[in-house]
């Protein structure tokens, strides 16, 4: 979920996404961020290796997160800070977020 498109360090198109799992019908848990190569936007598909596995250029997680996991991520290849991950804390119906530089430049 929470997808974004960006150009990778070699100009290829990347899908920046936050894999998640829905629980209880309304809540969800995020499992970090992934930067996955896009095969094409004309006939949209994600690039895969010969064995069928996605071409994941980066896998980012925050081990100090609460049980809901981090929030969305974003990337701009001209920025010096690499992929930005949003750490979030949810408590008593309120959400606090902070942005963190990863220096990962897929």
């Amino acid at each position: 979920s929470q997808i974004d498109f960006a150009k990778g360090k070699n100009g290829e198109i990347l899908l920046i996404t936050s894999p998640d799992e829905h629980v209880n019908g309304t809540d969800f848990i995020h499992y970090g961020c992934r930067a996955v190569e896009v095969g094409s936007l004309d006939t949209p598909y994600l690039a895969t290796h010969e064995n069928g596995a996605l071409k994941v250029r980066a896998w980012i997680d925050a081990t100090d997160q609460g049980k809901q996991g981090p929030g969305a991520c974003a990337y701009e290849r001209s920025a010096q800070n690499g992929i930005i991950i949003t750490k979030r804390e949810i408590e008593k119906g309120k959400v606090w977020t902070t942005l963190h530089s990863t220096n990962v430049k897929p």
Side-chain angles (χ1 to χ4, degrees):
S1 65
Q2 302 176 321
I3 66 168
D4 192 11
F5 290 98
K7 286 193 174 182
K9 62 183 174 185
N10 299 319
E12 64 283 349
I13 298 173
L14 301 175
L15 173 77
I16 310 297
T17 186
S18 303
D20 64 27
E21 173 183 11
H22 290 263
V23 293
N24 303 332
T26 57
D27 293 332
F28 56 91
I29 300 169
H30 283 285
Y31 297 105
C33 302
R34 309 294 185 277
V36 181
E37 285 187 35
V38 174
S40 173
L41 289 178
D42 294 328
T43 305
Y45 70 91
L46 297 176
T48 58
H49 296 283
E50 288 183 20
N51 67 0
L54 290 175
K55 289 187 177 181
V56 179
R57 298 283 298 279
W59 180 310
I60 301 165
D61 203 357
T63 58
D64 61 343
Q65 276 284 211
K67 65 181 181 177
Q68 296 90 5
C73 295
Y75 176 64
E76 165 54 49
R77 74 177 173 166
S78 65
Q80 295 299 313
N81 46 18
I83 292 176
I84 300 294
I85 187 170
T86 304
K87 291 177 60 180
R88 64 187 180 127
E89 297 297 329
I90 303 172
E91 185 179 311
K92 298 179 183 177
K94 295 184 179 184
V95 179
W96 289 270
T97 60
T98 54
L99 301 176
H100 296 268
S101 173
T102 66
N103 293 315
V104 174
K105 299 174 185 175

